[in-house]
Amino acid sequence: MLKEDCASTLKVHLAQSLPLPSNVNRPRIDLIVFVVNLHSKYSLQNVEESLHHVDATFFLGKVGFLATGAGQDNHCSIHRNTVLRLAHTYRSPLFFCDLEVEGFRATMAQRLVRMLQICAGHVPGVSALNLLSLMRSSENPFLEDV
Amino acid sequence: MDSYTAPESTPRQSASSRVKDYFIGATPLQKRLESARKLTSFVPTPSRRKIPQCSQLQEDAELQKVAFLLHKQWSLYSLTPLYKFSYTNLKEYSKLLSAFIAAEKQKGLAVEVGEDFNIKVIFSALLGMKGTQRDPEAFLVQILSKSQLPSENGEGKVLWTGWFCCIFGDSLLETVSEDFTCLPLFLANGAETNTAIIGTWFQKTFDCYFSPLAISAFNLSWMAAMWTACKMDRYMATTEFLWSVPCSPQSLDISYAIHPEDAKALWDSVHKTPGEVTQEEVDLFMDCLYSHFYRHFKIHLSATRLVRVSTSVASAHTDGKIKILCHKYLVGVLAYLTELAIFQIE
């Protein structure tokens, strides 16, 4: 993501789990992306626990889920529908991206940077909440049954 | 700006009404399209499955017939429906296939030193290997070496065995027209070269397609739970799991063996609904194993990949290898494998 061209300064903070230590001065967080590795149940459990530490206001468009590893089906310990349900419960967008593949990684980075720009308020006329409802309406219509 | 707030309700309604039209008076092709569409949309996997029932093969004669299927390692393949396959032509198929194999071997494609080129292929029907009456009959293909000496009137050594079956394959049988025979599960034991040659012949003759069936870690944990749930009179083997840790430079394998009665006791404490296994129970069963391991070794097994499961009923490897140990639950094990094969075909 840091390779992408962006008008303002882009800072990425990586963390294994939340909550982040509170004694450090850090700039405002605009977007949280939870990465779930479909090969490892542990990563899902980690994400589920970290979600409890996120303030409710973030879920209005400033949280996203990224599921990686769907390309290798026999390595998957988590069913695709589990992450779909998780994303649906938290009303946040879910992206599938095999982070091992260079091309997919670059495309995903572009999408995330664009999303970040909107969440930070740098794109006039679109807010994070607008983006969220826009993405929701194009999602699978069958989600409503669950 | 108003242009950005897309109307939420309209796209959803039009999509669902389009889907409903397909349900009425669907031809098999439309049904296939519908099932394909369902899989790409948000449909939960079966969250509950039946525990394999103790099968009815009680008579000794039938036991003898299936005994050769047990205790052998089978490689799994999924097979698309066979076009214009007929059970009455089995003898003809045997002749055609023998000729084909002989021709292939003379071409020099599969030449092994000291191999007996006099081989015989036998097609035979496997009666009783089905889940419901609708399932097509299973059949068996064997390559035998013809004995050189005329005085021996035995059959000769079995070089390769393969069998096709379909257990509870209703979801596939509904969508297929009458010219096709659905036998989605193929199991092979023997040399890889023979499997390849026979695969080529079937693909050319019946316009089908083989693909290796790999079992994901998710399905392996389901198998572990379902097979531990089976009631056994006596346990022949310990319950064993094998995990592969993805770490560089070399991968590490963790093997975890439990006494089968302890595993059954653990399962019984987790199990609630009689006769059925649910997703929650499987997850809880595996989580108990993981937390026990973590308490002792401080290693998160849930971050690793389950590669092999071995119980007294059967043992399965993620590469698509299976060994069935117990004749009572043979049909039950095959039913789950058929489900995976059908899922892969679709």
Side-chain angles (χ1 to χ4, degrees):
Chain A
M1 268 176 77
L2 290 166
K3 290 193 200 148
E4 287 294 316
D5 240 347
C6 184
S8 14
T9 16
L10 175 65
K11 285 209 173 102
V12 179
H13 182 102
L14 292 172
Q16 290 258 9
S17 64
L18 297 178
L20 298 172
S22 51
N23 47 5
V24 174
N25 235 5
R26 69 173 67 82
R28 182 193 71 199
I29 296 177
D30 289 317
L31 178 64
I32 305 180
V33 179
F34 288 99
V35 181
V36 177
N37 186 354
L38 289 177
H39 300 179
S40 141
K41 270 197 210 167
Y42 179 60
S43 86
L44 181 68
Q45 284 167 349
N46 216 357
V47 163
E48 280 173 350
E49 279 163 37
S50 305
L51 277 166
H52 298 150
H53 296 281
V54 176
D55 190 40
T57 49
F58 274 97
F59 290 107
L60 299 172
K62 297 200 176 163
V63 167
F65 292 94
L66 178 63
T68 176
Q72 293 151 307
D73 196 40
N74 19 331
H75 289 219
C76 285
S77 309
I78 308 173
H79 201 271
R80 201 175 143 255
N81 288 335
T82 316
V83 267
L84 273 170
R85 230 174 310 180
L86 180 68
H88 182 67
T89 316
Y90 286 95
R91 300 288 192 269
S92 296
L94 172 65
F95 304 107
F96 283 97
C97 172
D98 220 336
L99 289 176
E100 306 281 319
V101 181
E102 179 62 49
F104 295 164
R105 240 196 348 248
T107 321
M108 198 69 241
Q110 277 182 344
R111 278 184 88 170
L112 286 176
V113 168
R114 190 69 186 147
M115 203 172 148
L116 176 59
Q117 284 175 328
I118 295 174
C119 292
H122 291 187
V123 177
V126 192
S127 77
L129 200 50
N130 277 349
L131 181 64
L132 185 62
S133 59
L134 194 70
M135 286 171 86
R136 267 248 303 257
S137 66
S138 61
E139 243 169 55
N140 205 303
F142 294 105
L143 269 176
E144 291 306 301
D145 299 328
V146 179
Chain B
M1 301 288 180
D2 286 342
S3 53
Y4 282 108
T5 53
E8 274 183 75
S9 49
T10 331
R12 222 170 281 142
Q13 275 172 2
S14 57
S16 56
S17 59
R18 259 184 282 134
V19 162
K20 286 208 184 74
D21 290 342
Y22 279 97
F23 280 116
I24 311 162
T27 63
L29 181 59
Q30 282 173 328
K31 279 189 191 154
R32 295 231 88 226
L33 286 172
E34 180 50 42
S35 67
R37 193 172 291 118
K38 260 197 200 152
L39 283 166
T40 55
S41 71
F42 186 68
V43 169
T45 56
S47 61
R48 33 190 74 230
R49 287 197 176 92
K50 288 215 162 43
I51 295 179
Q53 298 299 316
C54 189
S55 82
Q56 309 303 318
L57 301 174
Q58 298 297 334
E59 300 150 22
D60 281 331
E62 296 201 33
L63 273 177
Q64 284 297 322
K65 274 188 231 162
V66 297
F68 73 98
L69 297 175
L70 303 175
H71 300 284
K72 267 205 186 85
Q73 173 142 304
W74 301 100
S75 299
L76 295 171
Y77 294 85
S78 68
L79 178 61
T80 59
L82 303 163
Y83 185 61
K84 288 207 174 3
F85 175 84
S86 135
Y87 289 97
T88 51
N89 292 350
L90 292 182
K91 277 212 162 32
E92 205 183 298
Y93 296 149
S94 314
K95 290 196 205 121
L96 288 171
L97 187 51
S98 318
F100 184 78
I101 293 179
E104 285 288 322
K105 298 224 162 156
Q106 276 164 14
K107 260 197 244 179
L109 282 179
V111 175
E112 279 150 33
V113 176
E115 202 198 28
D116 186 6
F117 273 61
N118 290 328
I119 53 164
K120 193 162 63 156
V121 176
I122 299 188
F123 276 64
S124 51
L126 270 178
L127 299 170
M129 279 290 137
K130 43 160 74 170
T132 63
Q133 285 309 317
R134 274 188 75 181
D135 289 331
E137 285 291 345
F139 72 95
L140 176 73
V141 179
Q142 279 177 313
I143 300 183
L144 302 142
S145 61
K146 271 193 224 163
S147 53
Q148 298 282 29
L149 308 166
S151 58
E152 271 183 36
N153 46 4
E155 279 285 303
K157 209 157 64 83
V158 176
L159 295 175
W160 184 91
T161 318
W163 51 297
F164 301 75
C165 69
C166 174
I167 317 269
F168 295 113
D170 289 331
S171 59
L172 189 61
L173 291 168
E174 278 170 20
T175 60
V176 148
S177 70
E178 296 210 352
D179 289 331
F180 287 90
T181 314
C182 276
L183 292 161
L185 189 61
F186 174 59
L187 301 97
N189 171 283
E192 257 306 304
T193 48
N194 287 332
T195 313
I197 295 175
I198 295 198
T200 321
W201 185 80
F202 269 91
Q203 284 177 171
K204 286 209 296 212
T205 319
F206 300 112
D207 196 24
C208 57
Y209 185 68
F210 285 87
S211 59
L213 183 67
I215 310 176
S216 73
F218 177 75
N219 288 321
L220 280 176
S221 57
W222 263 93
M223 284 183 188
M226 290 198 324
W227 298 343
T228 312
C230 294
K231 213 159 70 79
M232 302 272 291
D233 300 324
R234 56 184 186 87
Y235 291 100
M236 291 176 282
T238 52
T239 305
E240 207 179 299
F241 298 84
L242 186 68
W243 281 274
S244 158
V245 182
C247 63
S248 53
Q250 305 137 320
S251 68
L252 186 66
D253 282 335
I254 301 178
S255 159
Y256 186 3
I258 323 172
H259 196 275
E261 280 165 12
D262 293 340
K264 184 75 165 65
L266 174 63
W267 173 256
D268 287 335
S269 65
V270 165
H271 187 51
K272 304 262 173 352
T273 37
E276 274 186 340
V277 180
T278 63
Q279 177 73 59
E280 288 84 25
E281 287 169 5
V282 176
D283 287 340
L284 195 52
F285 180 66
M286 297 304 289
D287 284 341
C288 288
L289 296 173
Y290 292 155
S291 51
H292 180 83
F293 200 81
Y294 183 68
R295 215 176 314 136
H296 287 272
F297 299 103
K298 293 282 179 278
I299 295 180
H300 285 284
L301 279 176
S302 46
T304 61
R305 179 168 73 100
L306 184 57
V307 156
R308 189 165 179 273
V309 166
S310 176
T311 63
S312 294
V313 171
S315 100
H317 190 279
T318 192
D319 289 338
K321 308 234 185 298
I322 186 135
K323 194 191 274 198
I324 307 175
L325 302 168
C326 176
H327 66 271
K328 286 203 291 187
Y329 295 104
L330 178 61
V331 174
V333 170
L334 292 172
Y336 189 36
L337 294 173
T338 311
E339 196 184 317
L340 293 180
I342 293 178
F343 187 72
Q344 184 166 312
I345 298 173
E346 291 176 349

